[in-house]
Amino acid sequence: NTRFKNYVEDKLIRGDVQSNTAINTSLGSQGIISKINTDGETVGYSAGALDIPKLHEITRIMDVNGGANEVVWLQDIFQRQDFSDGLFQTFPAGAFVWGQGEKSEDASVAYGFQNRLIDGYLIKVKKYRNFNSEFSTGTTPAVDYFRNYGVIIPQGTAMDYKDSTKIYKNLTVMFQQPPAGGTIGNGIRVWEHGGGSRKPSDGTMEDYVEMITYRSTRVCAANQFIQVESA
C-alpha cells in the first residue's frame, strides 16, 4: 500500500508523457513539475542565500503573471533550511497571517505549513521530503536533481479564455474510474488472484493483491507556478 501511494504521488508530481515516435503513440500524463518546466516560471538563487530581496523578486513575478494571493511553497530540506535562516529569523515569532475558507488556519496547521505574509501574498511553506533522494531512496547521489529546490503552487482560480463562464482551480487532481472487477474506492481498483487467494484463479498456491488507478493533475495558468532552484 505504501509503495503504491508513493508511486501515485511521484507520477502526479514528476510524471510526464512518454512518446514512441516510431509508432506515433504517447502514454501517461504530465505531472506538475513537467508542466511547470514547459510553461511555468523559474527563479534561481545561490544556495544559502534565500533572503528578503530574493523573496521580493518572486513576488514581483507573481504580480506580473497575475498570481493568486495565497500560494503553497513545497521545499526540499536544504531550501527549507535556507528559508528558515534567511526569513524566519528576520521576522519575529508569531507574525503569522492566516487565510480564510478552505485555506484556513486549521487546514494549514493540519498539513504542517508555516505561513508568511509579504508584499500582499500569503506564502505557505512546507518541507517536502520526497524531493530528497536520501528520504525517498536511502542513498545520497553525487548530483541530486531536487537539491536546493522548491515549487510555488498558487491557490487560486483561472478563467477559460475560450469560455469566460468556466472557472478552474490552478491545480486539480483528476481521475478516471477504473474498469469493473474487484472493489473500487476513491478511484482505486483492488482485486485478488492466485490459487491461495480468497478468489482462486489458478492451481498455484499464491496470493496476490493488485491495485490500479488512473489519475492525473490539471494545471491551469501554469505561468503562475514558479520553480525556485539553486543556480
Side-chain angles (χ1 to χ4, degrees), residues 126-174:
K126 181 179 180 179
K127 177 179 66 178
Y128 184 67
R129 294 190 296 178
N130 286 14
F131 280 152
N132 296 103
S133 295
E134 292 86 348
F135 173 78
S136 59
T137 67
T139 62
T140 302
V143 178
D144 199 352
Y145 184 89
F146 292 107
R147 181 77 77 228
N148 299 298
Y149 178 89
V151 58
I152 297 175
I153 301 172
Q155 288 189 291
T157 58
M159 182 186 300
D160 190 327
Y161 77 96
K162 293 182 179 180
D163 185 350
S164 61
T165 64
K166 297 179 180 179
I167 306 295
Y168 304 102
K169 291 184 178 181
N170 283 114
L171 179 62
T172 309
V173 176
M174 316 288 290

Side-chain angles (χ1 to χ4, degrees), residues 44-56:
Y45 76 101
S46 299
L50 188 57
D51 51 15
I52 297 295
K54 180 58 64 174
L55 198 58
H56 286 320

Side-chain angles (χ1 to χ4, degrees), residues 6 26 44 59 65 68 70 72-73 86 102 177 181 187 206 212 225-226:
N6 287 340
S26 60
T59 56
N65 288 287
E70 293 190 31
V72 166
W73 187 346
E102 65 178 4
Q177 195 76 349
E206 294 176 330
I212 191 170
F225 292 66
I226 304 173

